[in-house]
């Protein structure tokens, strides 16, 4: 990282790397609703019912599988729901009935589902379920976001001519790196006591490169700890012949932790951002 200006480098950090598929996985949403579409359509007959409890009992008696839809109508994943009040505590199973149908009617009344269905607040349970699934899937953005930087780095590794499980590998532990290439990484693993795992490992004829990736949209103490940790990791890696540590990071969250990042930048040879990747840094370092 010699002769590079930290402030100019940091200025190119990005606010987001969200792709079009980051927001909602509609294929997953549609698939989940399709699995229970028939049951939901049976329950649709309850909409506007003037005797909803009797109709519900009749449906459950003939089609007990319709109960499996109920948790989703309350935006709950799984087949069990716990509920309690002054009348007691209950753990309802919606896959295999574990209470009388009368108790399930109490559940439907007290959760408000009967009220929404009989008073036409809900007009179509399939459409409603689609909306619920869409909302639940939005909660998955955190997991998808956590993988976006990994996916981006991997695309650039492949664009540089490397092939997965041939000359680059995903999610490898220190011990696996030692075994595969005969390296002594005790300086990094604290004499084998640390079970460190790297996001990627790139193998070239000259050297093995262990890679970490991350992207931060917001600040916090975690960023300072990450910068300090990777600074130490880089220094430890420098003591191992034929081995280097590479860090790809980005995100405007770093602007609130620029001090610690600068310290790492000043001493770490291989620290790069997205702009570096887009300008072909992979082909320069992995030779």
């Amino acid at each position: 990282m010699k002769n590079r200006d930290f402030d100019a480098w940091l200025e190119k950090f990005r606010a987001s790397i969200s792709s079009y598929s980051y927001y909602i996985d509609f294929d997953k949403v549609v698939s989940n609703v399709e699995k229970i579409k028939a049951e939901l359509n049976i329950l649709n007959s309850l909409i506007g019912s003037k005797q909803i409890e009797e109709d519900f009992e009749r449906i459950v008696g003939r089609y007990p599988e319709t109960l499996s839809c109920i948790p989703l109508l309350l935006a709950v994943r799984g087949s069990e729901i716990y509920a309690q009040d002054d009348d007691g505590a209950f753990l309802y199973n919606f896959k295999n009935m574990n209470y009388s149908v009368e108790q399930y009617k109490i559940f439907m009344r007290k959760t408000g589902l009967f009220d929404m269905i009989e008073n036409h607040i809900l007009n179509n349970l399939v459409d409603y379920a689609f909306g619920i699934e869409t909302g639940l899937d939005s909660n998955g953005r955190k997991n998808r976001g956590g993988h976006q930087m990994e996916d981006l780095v991997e695309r650039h590794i492949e664009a540089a001519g490397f092939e997965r499980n041939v000359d680059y590998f995903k999610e490898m532990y220190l011990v696996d790196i030692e075994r595969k290439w005969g390296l002594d990484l005790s300086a990094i693993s604290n004499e084998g006591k640390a079970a460190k795992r790297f996001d990627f490992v790139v193998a070239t004829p000259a050297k093995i490169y262990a890679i970490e990736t991350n992207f931060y949209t917001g600040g916090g103490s975690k960023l300072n700890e990450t910068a300090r940790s990777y600074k130490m990791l880089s220094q430890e890696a420098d003591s191992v012949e034929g081995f280097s540590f590479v860090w790809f990071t980005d995100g405007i969250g770093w602007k609130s932790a620029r001090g610690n990042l600068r310290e790492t930048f000043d001493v770490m040879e291989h620290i790069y951002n997205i702009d570096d990747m887009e300008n072909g840094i992979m082909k320069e370092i992995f030779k």
Side-chain angles (χ1 to χ4, degrees):
M1 297 301 297
K2 302 298 183 183
N3 302 319
R4 298 183 72 193
D5 181 80
F6 172 78
D7 292 316
W9 180 70
L10 184 64
E11 192 60 33
K12 294 179 180 179
F13 277 33
R14 304 184 182 185
S16 174
I17 52 173
S18 298
S19 62
Y20 291 103
S21 60
Y22 164 73
Y23 299 98
I24 298 293
D25 184 348
F26 281 111
D27 289 339
K28 177 183 174 183
V29 168
V30 171
S31 175
N32 286 346
V33 174
E34 283 293 328
K35 292 174 184 176
I36 57 172
K37 188 175 181 179
E39 290 82 358
L40 288 168
N41 276 318
I42 293 172
L43 290 177
N44 266 336
S45 64
L46 293 174
I47 293 176
S49 171
K50 301 302 181 183
Q51 48 183 19
I52 194 167
E53 294 197 13
E54 291 83 352
D55 290 340
F56 176 79
E57 182 173 349
R58 174 179 52 81
I59 288 174
V60 171
R62 291 188 61 185
Y63 308 103
E65 65 274 15
T66 55
L67 277 180
S68 64
C69 303
I70 303 303
L72 180 62
L73 301 182
L74 294 172
V76 174
R77 294 285 190 205
S79 60
E80 292 186 325
I81 295 180
Y82 178 87
Q84 69 174 44
D85 60 10
D86 292 339
D87 294 327
F90 301 89
L91 181 61
Y92 296 88
N93 190 309
F94 291 89
K95 187 175 182 180
N96 298 299
M97 289 182 66
N98 58 335
Y99 298 116
S100 68
V101 69
E102 290 298 323
Q103 189 61 49
Y104 281 88
K105 287 194 287 186
I106 291 173
F107 176 91
M108 296 291 288
R109 180 64 67 188
K110 289 186 175 181
T111 57
L113 284 174
F114 272 164
D115 181 60
M116 288 200 299
I117 294 171
E118 68 183 336
N119 292 310
H120 281 279
I121 297 173
L122 299 180
N123 293 315
N124 186 296
L125 292 177
V126 176
D127 292 343
Y128 175 73
F130 189 88
I132 291 291
E133 279 287 352
T134 300
L136 289 174
D137 188 75
S138 69
N139 294 330
R141 289 176 189 167
K142 183 176 181 180
N143 290 332
R144 288 195 290 272
H147 290 291
Q148 284 194 116
M149 188 64 171
E150 284 185 26
D151 294 341
L152 181 60
V153 169
E154 185 167 16
R155 288 198 296 272
H156 281 281
I157 291 174
E158 292 178 340
F162 294 89
E163 183 179 349
R164 188 195 274 206
N165 296 329
V166 176
D167 45 18
Y168 92 85
F169 305 83
K170 189 170 184 178
E171 297 182 347
M172 286 192 77
Y173 285 93
L174 275 171
V175 63
D176 297 320
I177 298 172
E178 289 181 314
R179 290 170 182 167
K180 188 171 184 64
W181 290 286
L183 295 172
D184 180 4
L185 301 179
S186 56
I188 299 173
S189 65
N190 189 21
E191 301 299 330
K193 298 176 183 177
K196 171 66 182 172
R197 186 183 72 177
F198 293 99
D199 292 331
F200 300 99
V201 174
V202 170
T204 72
K207 188 174 285 191
I208 303 301
Y209 296 89
I211 300 168
E212 283 290 318
T213 71
N214 43 50
F215 186 95
Y216 294 107
T217 56
S221 59
K222 182 179 179 180
L223 280 76
N224 291 324
E225 177 56 34
T226 298
R228 287 191 294 265
S229 174
Y230 286 2
K231 174 184 176 182
M232 181 181 299
L233 180 56
S234 175
Q235 292 170 330
E236 292 169 345
D238 288 342
S239 67
V240 180
E241 185 176 354
F243 182 81
S244 281
F245 173 58
V246 184
W247 183 19
F248 293 102
T249 192
D250 211 302
I252 58 173
W254 279 115
K255 295 189 176 182
S256 66
R258 64 171 57 227
N260 286 87
L261 185 61
R262 183 192 295 271
E263 290 181 13
T264 305
F265 179 92
D266 287 342
V267 301
M268 187 171 176
E269 180 181 2
H270 296 301
I271 178 172
Y272 307 106
N273 61 16
I274 294 173
D275 184 72
D276 294 323
M277 288 192 286
E278 292 177 346
N279 283 287
I281 195 63
M282 298 284 191
K283 290 185 179 180
E284 290 184 28
I285 58 178
F286 302 143
K287 296 180 180 178

